Amino acid sequence: IDNIIYEFTNAFLDKDYDKLAKMYNNFKIENIGIDYLIVSLANSIKQALIIKILYNEGNSNVDIAKVILKKEYYVKKMLERLYSYTVSDLSFYIEQLAKIDREIKGGKGNILNFEIFLFNTNCNKNSFAFCPPDNSFTEFFISYSTKFIAPKQVIILLCICLSYPKYCCKYST
């Protein structure tokens, strides 16, 4: 399962929404617990954060590989994925995953929070809602959200986001 989580993390970091949705649906079919997915994704992003910090400090791929106990090729591929991310971005994702985990375990949140987070990587960091990679909001929303969210929840989120687009994503008219 470690390789599958690695692929899942890569899909998340690459913003490959098709692959992410397919993998997430497979996890649901296989009854892989949401808590396991949250922790696994957070741990993978923590490792990505360590790689990014060490790289920003001027460490070589070989040195980074020694620190994280991975092969140099892994570090090289991860740095390619992390090129457009800042330390702040990665820290934000870790914080949000921790918050979602706490809310779910405390009964204040549900699986929908995690599902929204998965497709929230282009959005305003102060809100949780779907945001299209190319700003074609309605097309994106319908195509991705209906793959893994109950129809009633899709309608509620769509109404919220169409009524308050500035809170949902970088929506341009």
Side-chain angles (χ1 to χ4, degrees), residues 68-157:
I68 66 167
L69 305 175
K70 295 281 187 180
K71 296 185 185 227
E72 183 182 354
Y73 181 77
Y74 173 87
V75 173
K76 178 185 177 218
K77 294 311 266 178
M78 189 57 79
L79 284 170
E80 289 172 6
R81 266 188 189 84
L82 297 174
Y83 179 77
S84 64
Y85 289 94
T86 65
V87 167
S88 177
D89 292 334
L90 298 170
S91 296
F92 173 77
Y93 295 148
I94 294 165
E95 289 169 17
Q96 291 305 307
L97 286 167
K99 179 180 175 187
I100 292 167
D101 190 46
R102 278 191 311 273
E103 288 175 353
I104 290 172
K105 288 177 180 171
K108 295 180 182 178
N110 60 40
I111 195 168
L112 179 61
N113 298 51
F114 180 64
E115 292 172 343
I116 291 171
F117 170 81
L118 289 177
F119 295 91
N120 192 38
T121 57
N122 286 335
C123 290
N124 179 334
K125 292 181 180 179
N126 295 321
S127 65
F128 266 103
F130 289 92
C131 189
D134 61 355
N135 286 331
S136 57
F137 180 74
T138 305
E139 182 180 315
F140 170 83
F141 192 92
I142 290 169
S143 94
Y144 288 102
S145 63
T146 55
K147 290 181 182 179
F148 60 92
I149 296 178
K152 183 178 179 182
Q153 293 168 324
V154 169
I155 292 169
I156 292 167
L157 285 171

Coordinates of all heavy atoms in Angstrom, one line a residue, residues 68-157:
I68 N 16.8 11.6 4.6 CA 15.5 11.0 4.7 C 15.5 9.5 4.4 O 14.4 8.9 4.4 CB 14.5 11.7 3.7 CG1 15.0 11.5 2.2 CG2 14.4 13.2 4.0 CD1 13.9 11.9 1.2
L69 N 16.7 8.9 4.2 CA 16.8 7.5 4.0 C 16.0 7.0 2.8 O 15.4 6.0 2.8 CB 16.4 6.7 5.3 CG 17.1 7.1 6.6 CD1 16.5 6.4 7.7 CD2 18.6 6.9 6.4
K70 N 16.2 7.7 1.7 CA 15.6 7.4 0.4 C 16.6 7.4 -0.6 O 17.7 7.9 -0.4 CB 14.4 8.3 0.0 CG 13.2 8.3 0.9 CD 12.3 7.1 0.6 CE 11.1 7.2 1.5 NZ 10.2 6.1 1.2
K71 N 16.3 6.9 -1.8 CA 17.3 6.9 -2.9 C 17.4 8.3 -3.5 O 16.4 9.1 -3.4 CB 16.9 5.9 -4.0 CG 17.0 4.5 -3.5 CD 16.7 3.5 -4.5 CE 16.7 2.1 -3.9 NZ 17.4 1.2 -4.6
E72 N 18.5 8.6 -4.1 CA 18.7 10.0 -4.7 C 17.6 10.2 -5.8 O 17.2 11.3 -6.0 CB 20.1 10.0 -5.3 CG 20.4 11.4 -5.9 CD 21.8 11.5 -6.5 OE1 22.6 10.5 -6.4 OE2 22.1 12.5 -7.2
Y73 N 17.3 9.2 -6.6 CA 16.3 9.3 -7.6 C 14.9 9.8 -7.1 O 14.3 10.6 -7.7 CB 16.1 8.0 -8.4 CG 15.1 8.0 -9.5 CD1 15.5 8.6 -10.7 CD2 13.9 7.5 -9.4 CE1 14.6 8.7 -11.8 CE2 12.9 7.6 -10.4 CZ 13.3 8.2 -11.6 OH 12.4 8.3 -12.6
Y74 N 14.6 9.2 -5.9 CA 13.3 9.6 -5.3 C 13.4 11.1 -5.0 O 12.4 11.9 -5.2 CB 13.1 8.8 -4.0 CG 12.0 9.3 -3.1 CD1 10.7 8.8 -3.4 CD2 12.2 10.2 -2.1 CE1 9.6 9.3 -2.6 CE2 11.1 10.7 -1.3 CZ 9.8 10.2 -1.6 OH 8.8 10.6 -0.8
V75 N 14.5 11.6 -4.4 CA 14.6 13.0 -4.1 C 14.5 13.9 -5.4 O 13.8 14.9 -5.4 CB 16.0 13.3 -3.4 CG1 16.2 14.8 -3.2 CG2 16.0 12.6 -2.0
K76 N 15.2 13.4 -6.4 CA 15.2 14.2 -7.7 C 13.8 14.3 -8.2 O 13.3 15.4 -8.6 CB 16.1 13.4 -8.7 CG 16.1 14.1 -10.1 CD 16.9 13.3 -11.1 CE 16.7 13.9 -12.4 NZ 16.6 13.0 -13.5
K77 N 13.0 13.2 -8.2 CA 11.6 13.2 -8.7 C 10.7 14.1 -7.9 O 9.9 14.8 -8.3 CB 11.1 11.8 -8.9 CG 11.8 11.0 -9.9 CD 11.9 11.6 -11.2 CE 10.8 11.3 -12.2 NZ 11.0 12.0 -13.5
M78 N 10.9 14.0 -6.5 CA 10.1 14.8 -5.6 C 10.4 16.3 -5.8 O 9.5 17.1 -5.8 CB 10.4 14.3 -4.2 CG 9.4 15.0 -3.2 SD 7.6 14.7 -3.6 CE 7.4 13.0 -3.0
L79 N 11.7 16.6 -6.0 CA 12.0 18.1 -6.2 C 11.4 18.6 -7.5 O 11.0 19.7 -7.6 CB 13.5 18.2 -6.2 CG 14.2 18.2 -4.8 CD1 15.7 18.2 -4.9 CD2 13.8 19.4 -4.0
E80 N 11.3 17.7 -8.5 CA 10.7 18.2 -9.7 C 9.2 18.5 -9.5 O 8.6 19.4 -10.0 CB 10.8 17.1 -10.8 CG 12.2 16.9 -11.4 CD 12.4 15.7 -12.3 OE1 11.4 15.0 -12.6 OE2 13.5 15.4 -12.7
R81 N 8.6 17.6 -8.7 CA 7.1 17.8 -8.3 C 7.0 19.1 -7.5 O 5.9 19.7 -7.5 CB 6.6 16.6 -7.5 CG 6.0 15.6 -8.3 CD 5.3 14.5 -7.5 NE 5.0 13.6 -8.5 CZ 5.8 12.6 -8.9 NH1 7.0 12.5 -8.4 NH2 5.4 11.8 -9.9
L82 N 7.9 19.3 -6.6 CA 7.8 20.4 -5.6 C 8.3 21.8 -6.2 O 8.2 22.8 -5.5 CB 8.6 20.1 -4.4 CG 8.2 18.8 -3.6 CD1 9.2 18.5 -2.5 CD2 6.8 19.0 -3.1
Y83 N 8.7 21.8 -7.4 CA 9.2 23.1 -8.0 C 8.3 24.3 -7.8 O 8.7 25.3 -7.4 CB 9.5 22.9 -9.5 CG 10.0 24.1 -10.1 CD1 11.4 24.5 -9.9 CD2 9.2 24.9 -10.9 CE1 11.9 25.6 -10.5 CE2 9.7 26.1 -11.5 CZ 11.0 26.4 -11.3 OH 11.5 27.6 -11.8
S84 N 7.0 24.1 -8.0 CA 6.1 25.2 -7.9 C 5.5 25.4 -6.5 O 4.7 26.3 -6.3 CB 4.9 25.0 -8.9 OG 4.2 23.9 -8.6
Y85 N 5.9 24.6 -5.6 CA 5.4 24.7 -4.2 C 6.4 25.5 -3.3 O 7.6 25.3 -3.5 CB 5.2 23.4 -3.6 CG 4.0 22.7 -4.1 CD1 4.1 21.8 -5.2 CD2 2.7 22.9 -3.7 CE1 3.0 21.1 -5.7 CE2 1.6 22.3 -4.2 CZ 1.8 21.4 -5.3 OH 0.7 20.7 -5.8
T86 N 5.9 26.2 -2.4 CA 6.8 26.9 -1.4 C 6.7 26.1 -0.1 O 5.8 25.2 0.1 CB 6.3 28.3 -1.1 OG1 5.0 28.2 -0.5 CG2 6.2 29.2 -2.3
V87 N 7.6 26.3 0.8 CA 7.5 25.7 2.2 C 6.2 26.1 2.8 O 5.6 25.2 3.5 CB 8.7 26.2 3.0 CG1 8.6 25.8 4.5 CG2 10.0 25.6 2.5
S88 N 5.8 27.3 2.6 CA 4.5 27.7 3.2 C 3.3 26.9 2.6 O 2.4 26.5 3.4 CB 4.3 29.2 2.9 OG 3.1 29.7 3.3
D89 N 3.3 26.6 1.3 CA 2.2 25.8 0.7 C 2.2 24.5 1.4 O 1.1 24.0 1.8 CB 2.5 25.6 -0.8 CG 2.4 26.9 -1.6 OD1 1.6 27.8 -1.2 OD2 3.0 26.9 -2.7
L90 N 3.3 23.8 1.5 CA 3.4 22.5 2.0 C 3.0 22.5 3.5 O 2.2 21.6 4.0 CB 4.7 21.8 1.8 CG 5.2 21.7 0.4 CD1 6.6 21.3 0.3 CD2 4.3 20.7 -0.3
S91 N 3.4 23.5 4.3 CA 3.0 23.6 5.7 C 1.5 23.8 5.8 O 0.9 23.2 6.7 CB 3.8 24.8 6.3 OG 5.2 24.5 6.3
F92 N 1.0 24.6 4.9 CA -0.5 24.8 5.0 C -1.2 23.5 4.8 O -2.2 23.2 5.5 CB -0.9 25.8 3.9 CG -2.3 26.0 3.7 CD1 -3.1 26.7 4.7 CD2 -3.0 25.4 2.7 CE1 -4.4 26.9 4.6 CE2 -4.4 25.6 2.6 CZ -5.1 26.3 3.5
Y93 N -0.8 22.7 3.8 CA -1.5 21.4 3.5 C -1.4 20.5 4.8 O -2.4 19.9 5.1 CB -0.9 20.7 2.3 CG -1.1 21.4 1.0 CD1 -0.1 21.4 0.0 CD2 -2.2 22.2 0.8 CE1 -0.3 22.0 -1.2 CE2 -2.4 22.9 -0.4 CZ -1.4 22.8 -1.4 OH -1.6 23.5 -2.6
I94 N -0.3 20.5 5.4 CA -0.1 19.6 6.6 C -1.0 20.1 7.7 O -1.7 19.3 8.4 CB 1.3 19.6 7.1 CG1 2.2 18.9 6.0 CG2 1.5 18.9 8.4 CD1 3.7 19.1 6.2
E95 N -1.1 21.4 7.9 CA -2.0 22.0 8.9 C -3.4 21.7 8.6 O -4.2 21.4 9.6 CB -1.8 23.5 9.0 CG -0.4 24.0 9.6 CD -0.2 25.5 9.4 OE1 -1.1 26.2 9.1 OE2 1.0 25.9 9.5
Q96 N -3.8 21.8 7.4 CA -5.2 21.6 7.0 C -5.6 20.1 7.2 O -6.7 19.8 7.7 CB -5.5 22.0 5.6 CG -5.5 23.5 5.4 CD -6.4 24.2 6.3 OE1 -7.6 23.9 6.4 NE2 -5.9 25.2 7.1
L97 N -4.7 19.2 6.9 CA -4.9 17.8 7.1 C -5.1 17.5 8.6 O -5.9 16.7 9.0 CB -3.8 16.9 6.4 CG -3.9 16.8 4.9 CD1 -2.6 16.3 4.3 CD2 -5.1 16.0 4.5
A98 N -4.2 18.1 9.4 CA -4.3 17.9 10.8 C -5.6 18.4 11.4 O -6.3 17.8 12.2 CB -3.1 18.6 11.5
K99 N -6.0 19.5 10.9 CA -7.3 20.1 11.3 C -8.5 19.2 10.9 O -9.4 19.0 11.7 CB -7.5 21.5 10.7 CG -8.8 22.2 11.0 CD -8.8 23.6 10.3 CE -10.2 24.2 10.5 NZ -10.4 25.4 9.8
I100 N -8.5 18.7 9.7 CA -9.5 17.8 9.2 C -9.6 16.6 10.1 O -10.6 16.1 10.5 CB -9.3 17.5 7.7 CG1 -9.6 18.7 6.9 CG2 -10.3 16.3 7.3 CD1 -9.1 18.6 5.4
D101 N -8.4 16.0 10.4 CA -8.3 14.8 11.2 C -8.9 15.1 12.6 O -9.7 14.3 13.1 CB -6.9 14.4 11.3 CG -6.7 13.0 11.9 OD1 -7.5 12.1 11.6 OD2 -5.8 12.9 12.8
R102 N -8.5 16.2 13.2 CA -9.1 16.5 14.5 C -10.6 16.7 14.5 O -11.3 16.2 15.4 CB -8.4 17.8 15.1 CG -7.1 17.7 15.7 CD -6.7 19.0 16.4 NE -6.8 20.2 15.6 CZ -5.9 20.6 14.8 NH1 -4.7 20.0 14.6 NH2 -6.1 21.8 14.1
E103 N -11.1 17.4 13.5 CA -12.5 17.6 13.4 C -13.3 16.3 13.2 O -14.3 16.1 13.8 CB -12.8 18.6 12.2 CG -12.4 20.0 12.5 CD -12.6 21.0 11.4 OE1 -12.9 20.5 10.3 OE2 -12.3 22.2 11.6
I104 N -12.8 15.5 12.3 CA -13.5 14.2 12.1 C -13.5 13.4 13.4 O -14.5 12.8 13.8 CB -12.8 13.4 10.9 CG1 -13.1 14.1 9.6 CG2 -13.3 12.0 10.9 CD1 -12.4 13.5 8.4
K105 N -12.3 13.3 14.0 CA -12.2 12.5 15.3 C -13.0 13.1 16.4 O -13.5 12.4 17.3 CB -10.8 12.3 15.7 CG -10.1 11.3 14.7 CD -8.6 11.2 15.1 CE -8.0 10.2 14.1 NZ -6.5 10.2 14.2
G106 N -13.2 14.4 16.4 CA -14.0 15.1 17.4 C -15.4 15.2 17.1 O -16.2 15.8 17.9
G107 N -15.9 14.7 16.0 CA -17.3 14.7 15.6 C -17.7 16.0 15.1 O -18.9 16.2 14.8
K108 N -16.8 16.9 14.8 CA -17.2 18.2 14.2 C -17.1 18.3 12.7 O -17.5 19.3 12.1 CB -16.4 19.3 14.9 CG -16.6 19.5 16.3 CD -15.7 20.6 16.9 CE -15.9 20.7 18.4 NZ -15.1 21.7 19.0
G109 N -16.5 17.3 12.1 CA -16.3 17.3 10.7 C -16.7 15.9 10.1 O -17.0 15.0 10.9
N110 N -16.6 15.8 8.8 CA -16.9 14.5 8.2 C -16.0 14.3 7.0 O -15.2 15.2 6.7 CB -18.4 14.4 7.9 CG -18.8 15.5 6.9 OD1 -18.1 15.8 6.0 ND2 -20.0 16.0 7.1
I111 N -16.2 13.2 6.3 CA -15.4 12.9 5.2 C -15.4 13.9 4.1 O -14.5 14.1 3.3 CB -15.9 11.5 4.7 CG1 -14.8 10.9 3.8 CG2 -17.2 11.5 4.0 CD1 -15.1 9.4 3.4
L112 N -16.5 14.7 4.0 CA -16.6 15.7 3.0 C -15.5 16.7 3.1 O -15.0 17.2 2.1 CB -18.0 16.4 3.1 CG -18.3 17.5 2.1 CD1 -18.2 17.0 0.6 CD2 -19.6 18.1 2.4
N113 N -15.1 17.0 4.3 CA -14.0 18.0 4.5 C -12.7 17.5 3.8 O -12.0 18.3 3.2 CB -13.7 18.2 6.0 CG -14.8 18.8 6.8 OD1 -16.0 18.3 6.7 ND2 -14.6 19.8 7.5
F114 N -12.4 16.2 3.9 CA -11.2 15.7 3.3 C -11.4 15.7 1.8 O -10.5 16.0 1.0 CB -11.0 14.3 3.8 CG -9.8 13.6 3.2 CD1 -8.5 14.1 3.4 CD2 -9.9 12.5 2.4 CE1 -7.4 13.5 2.8 CE2 -8.8 11.9 1.8 CZ -7.5 12.4 2.0
E115 N -12.6 15.3 1.3 CA -12.8 15.3 -0.1 C -12.7 16.6 -0.8 O -12.1 16.8 -1.8 CB -14.2 14.7 -0.4 CG -14.3 13.2 0.0 CD -15.7 12.6 -0.1 OE1 -16.7 13.4 -0.1 OE2 -15.8 11.4 -0.1
I116 N -13.2 17.6 -0.1 CA -13.0 19.0 -0.6 C -11.5 19.4 -0.6 O -11.1 20.0 -1.5 CB -13.9 20.0 0.3 CG1 -15.4 19.7 0.0 CG2 -13.5 21.4 -0.1 CD1 -16.3 20.5 0.9
F117 N -10.8 19.1 0.5 CA -9.4 19.4 0.6 C -8.6 18.8 -0.6 O -7.8 19.5 -1.2 CB -8.8 18.8 1.9 CG -7.3 18.9 1.9 CD1 -6.7 20.1 2.2 CD2 -6.5 17.9 1.6 CE1 -5.3 20.2 2.3 CE2 -5.2 17.9 1.6 CZ -4.5 19.1 1.9
L118 N -8.9 17.6 -1.0 CA -8.2 17.0 -2.1 C -8.2 17.8 -3.4 O -7.2 17.8 -4.1 CB -8.8 15.6 -2.4 CG -8.5 14.5 -1.4 CD1 -9.2 13.2 -1.7 CD2 -7.0 14.3 -1.1
F119 N -9.3 18.5 -3.6 CA -9.4 19.3 -4.9 C -9.3 20.8 -4.6 O -9.8 21.6 -5.4 CB -10.7 18.9 -5.6 CG -10.7 17.5 -6.0 CD1 -11.2 16.5 -5.2 CD2 -10.2 17.1 -7.2 CE1 -11.1 15.1 -5.6 CE2 -10.1 15.8 -7.6 CZ -10.6 14.8 -6.8
N120 N -8.7 21.1 -3.5 CA -8.7 22.5 -3.1 C -7.3 23.2 -3.3 O -7.1 24.3 -2.9 CB -9.0 22.6 -1.6 CG -9.3 24.0 -1.1 OD1 -9.9 24.8 -1.8 ND2 -8.8 24.3 0.1
T121 N -6.4 22.5 -4.0 CA -5.0 23.0 -4.1 C -4.8 24.3 -4.9 O -3.8 24.9 -4.7 CB -4.1 21.9 -4.7 OG1 -4.6 21.5 -5.9 CG2 -4.0 20.7 -3.7
N122 N -5.8 24.7 -5.6 CA -5.7 26.0 -6.3 C -6.5 27.1 -5.7 O -6.5 28.2 -6.2 CB -6.2 25.8 -7.8 CG -5.3 25.1 -8.7 OD1 -4.1 25.0 -8.4 ND2 -5.8 24.5 -9.7
C123 N -7.1 26.8 -4.5 CA -8.0 27.8 -3.9 C -7.4 28.7 -2.9 O -6.3 28.5 -2.5 CB -9.1 27.0 -3.2 SG -10.2 26.2 -4.4
N124 N -8.2 29.7 -2.6 CA -7.8 30.6 -1.5 C -7.6 29.8 -0.2 O -8.4 29.1 0.2 CB -9.0 31.6 -1.4 CG -8.8 32.6 -0.3 OD1 -8.0 32.4 0.7 ND2 -9.4 33.7 -0.4
K125 N -6.5 30.1 0.4 CA -6.1 29.3 1.6 C -7.0 29.6 2.8 O -6.9 28.9 3.8 CB -4.6 29.6 2.0 CG -3.7 29.0 1.0 CD -2.3 29.3 1.4 CE -1.3 28.7 0.4 NZ 0.0 28.9 0.7
N126 N -7.9 30.6 2.7 CA -8.8 30.9 3.8 C -10.1 30.2 3.7 O -11.0 30.5 4.5 CB -8.9 32.4 3.9 CG -7.6 33.1 4.3 OD1 -6.9 32.5 5.1 ND2 -7.4 34.2 3.7
S127 N -10.3 29.5 2.6 CA -11.6 28.8 2.4 C -11.5 27.4 2.0 O -10.4 27.0 1.5 CB -12.4 29.6 1.4 OG -11.8 29.5 0.1
F128 N -12.5 26.6 2.1 CA -12.6 25.3 1.6 C -13.7 25.2 0.6 O -14.8 25.2 1.0 CB -12.8 24.3 2.8 CG -11.6 23.7 3.4 CD1 -11.2 24.2 4.6 CD2 -10.9 22.8 2.7 CE1 -10.0 23.7 5.1 CE2 -9.8 22.2 3.3 CZ -9.3 22.7 4.5
A129 N -13.3 25.0 -0.6 CA -14.3 24.7 -1.6 C -13.6 24.3 -2.9 O -12.4 24.4 -3.0 CB -15.2 26.0 -1.9
F130 N -14.4 23.9 -3.8 CA -13.8 23.4 -5.1 C -13.3 24.6 -5.9 O -13.9 25.6 -5.9 CB -14.8 22.6 -5.9 CG -15.1 21.3 -5.3 CD1 -16.1 21.2 -4.4 CD2 -14.3 20.2 -5.6 CE1 -16.4 20.0 -3.9 CE2 -14.6 19.0 -5.0 CZ -15.6 18.9 -4.1
C131 N -12.2 24.4 -6.6 CA -11.7 25.4 -7.5 C -11.1 24.8 -8.7 O -10.3 23.9 -8.6 CB -10.6 26.2 -6.8 SG -10.1 27.6 -7.7
P132 N -11.6 25.2 -9.9 CA -11.1 24.6 -11.1 C -9.7 25.0 -11.4 O -9.3 26.1 -11.2 CB -12.1 25.1 -12.1 CG -12.5 26.4 -11.6 CD -12.5 26.3 -10.1
P133 N -8.9 24.1 -12.0 CA -7.6 24.4 -12.4 C -7.5 25.5 -13.5 O -6.6 26.3 -13.5 CB -7.0 23.1 -12.9 CG -8.1 22.1 -13.0 CD -9.2 22.7 -12.3
D134 N -8.6 25.6 -14.3 CA -8.6 26.6 -15.4 C -9.7 27.6 -15.2 O -10.0 28.3 -16.2 CB -8.7 25.9 -16.7 CG -10.0 25.1 -16.8 OD1 -10.7 25.0 -15.8 OD2 -10.3 24.5 -17.9
N135 N -10.3 27.7 -14.1 CA -11.3 28.6 -13.7 C -12.6 28.4 -14.5 O -13.5 29.3 -14.4 CB -10.9 30.1 -13.9 CG -9.9 30.5 -12.8 OD1 -10.0 30.0 -11.7 ND2 -9.0 31.4 -13.1
S136 N -12.8 27.3 -15.1 CA -14.1 27.0 -15.7 C -14.9 26.3 -14.6 O -15.1 25.1 -14.7 CB -14.0 26.1 -17.0 OG -13.3 24.9 -16.7
F137 N -15.4 27.0 -13.7 CA -15.9 26.5 -12.4 C -17.0 25.5 -12.6 O -16.9 24.4 -12.1 CB -16.4 27.7 -11.6 CG -17.0 27.2 -10.3 CD1 -16.1 26.8 -9.3 CD2 -18.3 27.2 -10.1 CE1 -16.6 26.4 -8.1 CE2 -18.8 26.7 -8.9 CZ -18.0 26.4 -7.9
T138 N -18.1 25.8 -13.3 CA -19.2 24.9 -13.4 C -18.8 23.5 -14.0 O -19.1 22.5 -13.5 CB -20.3 25.5 -14.2 OG1 -20.6 26.8 -13.6 CG2 -21.6 24.7 -14.2
E139 N -18.1 23.6 -15.1 CA -17.7 22.4 -15.8 C -16.8 21.5 -14.8 O -17.0 20.3 -14.7 CB -16.9 22.7 -17.0 CG -16.4 21.6 -17.8 CD -15.6 22.0 -19.1 OE1 -16.1 23.0 -19.7 OE2 -14.6 21.4 -19.3
F140 N -15.9 22.1 -14.2 CA -15.0 21.4 -13.2 C -15.8 20.8 -12.1 O -15.7 19.7 -11.8 CB -13.9 22.4 -12.6 CG -13.2 21.8 -11.5 CD1 -12.1 21.0 -11.8 CD2 -13.5 22.0 -10.2 CE1 -11.4 20.4 -10.7 CE2 -12.8 21.4 -9.2 CZ -11.7 20.6 -9.4
F141 N -16.7 21.6 -11.5 CA -17.4 21.2 -10.4 C -18.3 20.0 -10.7 O -18.2 19.0 -10.0 CB -18.3 22.3 -9.9 CG -18.9 22.0 -8.5 CD1 -18.3 22.4 -7.4 CD2 -20.1 21.3 -8.4 CE1 -18.8 22.2 -6.2 CE2 -20.6 21.0 -7.2 CZ -20.0 21.5 -6.1
I142 N -19.0 20.0 -11.8 CA -19.8 18.9 -12.2 C -19.0 17.7 -12.5 O -19.3 16.6 -12.1 CB -20.8 19.3 -13.3 CG1 -21.8 20.4 -12.8 CG2 -21.5 18.1 -13.9 CD1 -22.6 21.1 -13.9
S143 N -18.0 17.9 -13.2 CA -17.2 16.7 -13.7 C -16.5 16.0 -12.5 O -16.4 14.8 -12.5 CB -16.2 17.0 -14.8 OG -15.0 17.4 -14.3
Y144 N -16.0 16.7 -11.6 CA -15.2 16.1 -10.5 C -16.0 15.8 -9.2 O -15.9 14.7 -8.6 CB -14.0 16.9 -10.1 CG -12.9 16.9 -11.2 CD1 -12.8 17.9 -12.1 CD2 -12.1 15.7 -11.3 CE1 -11.8 17.8 -13.1 CE2 -11.2 15.6 -12.3 CZ -11.0 16.7 -13.2 OH -10.1 16.6 -14.2
S145 N -16.8 16.7 -8.8 CA -17.5 16.5 -7.6 C -18.5 15.3 -7.6 O -18.7 14.6 -6.7 CB -18.2 17.8 -7.1 OG -19.2 18.1 -8.1
T146 N -19.1 15.1 -8.8 CA -20.1 14.1 -8.9 C -19.5 12.7 -8.9 O -20.2 11.7 -8.7 CB -21.0 14.2 -10.2 OG1 -20.1 14.3 -11.3 CG2 -21.8 15.5 -10.1
K147 N -18.2 12.6 -9.0 CA -17.5 11.3 -9.0 C -17.4 10.7 -7.6 O -17.2 9.6 -7.4 CB -16.1 11.5 -9.6 CG -16.1 11.7 -11.1 CD -14.7 11.8 -11.6 CE -14.7 12.1 -13.1 NZ -13.4 12.3 -13.7
F148 N -17.5 11.6 -6.6 CA -17.2 11.0 -5.2 C -18.1 11.7 -4.1 O -17.9 11.3 -3.0 CB -15.8 11.1 -4.9 CG -15.2 12.4 -4.8 CD1 -15.2 13.2 -3.7 CD2 -14.7 13.0 -6.0 CE1 -14.6 14.4 -3.7 CE2 -14.1 14.3 -6.0 CZ -14.1 15.0 -4.8
I149 N -18.9 12.6 -4.4 CA -19.7 13.2 -3.4 C -21.2 12.9 -3.7 O -21.6 13.0 -4.9 CB -19.5 14.7 -3.3 CG1 -18.0 15.0 -2.9 CG2 -20.4 15.4 -2.4 CD1 -17.7 16.4 -2.9
A150 N -22.0 12.7 -2.7 CA -23.4 12.4 -2.8 C -24.1 13.6 -3.5 O -23.7 14.8 -3.3 CB -24.0 12.2 -1.4
P151 N -25.1 13.3 -4.4 CA -25.7 14.4 -5.1 C -26.3 15.6 -4.3 O -26.1 16.7 -4.7 CB -26.9 13.7 -5.8 CG -26.4 12.3 -5.9 CD -25.5 12.0 -4.7
K152 N -26.8 15.3 -3.1 CA -27.4 16.3 -2.3 C -26.2 17.3 -1.8 O -26.4 18.5 -1.8 CB -28.0 15.7 -1.0 CG -28.7 16.7 -0.1 CD -29.4 16.1 1.0 CE -30.0 17.1 2.0 NZ -30.6 16.4 3.1
Q153 N -25.1 16.7 -1.5 CA -23.9 17.5 -1.1 C -23.4 18.4 -2.2 O -23.0 19.5 -2.1 CB -22.8 16.7 -0.5 CG -23.2 16.0 0.8 CD -22.3 15.0 1.3 OE1 -21.7 14.2 0.5 NE2 -22.1 14.9 2.6
V154 N -23.4 17.8 -3.4 CA -23.0 18.5 -4.6 C -23.8 19.7 -4.8 O -23.3 20.8 -5.1 CB -23.0 17.6 -5.9 CG1 -22.8 18.4 -7.2 CG2 -22.0 16.5 -5.8
I155 N -25.1 19.5 -4.7 CA -26.1 20.7 -4.9 C -25.8 21.7 -3.9 O -25.8 22.9 -4.2 CB -27.5 20.2 -4.9 CG1 -27.8 19.3 -6.1 CG2 -28.5 21.3 -4.9 CD1 -29.1 18.5 -6.1
I156 N -25.7 21.4 -2.7 CA -25.4 22.4 -1.6 C -24.1 23.1 -1.9 O -24.1 24.4 -1.8 CB -25.4 21.7 -0.2 CG1 -26.8 21.1 0.2 CG2 -24.9 22.6 0.9 CD1 -26.8 20.2 1.4
L157 N -23.1 22.4 -2.2 CA -21.8 23.1 -2.4 C -21.9 24.0 -3.7 O -21.3 25.1 -3.7 CB -20.7 22.1 -2.6 CG -20.2 21.4 -1.3 CD1 -19.2 20.3 -1.6 CD2 -19.5 22.5 -0.4

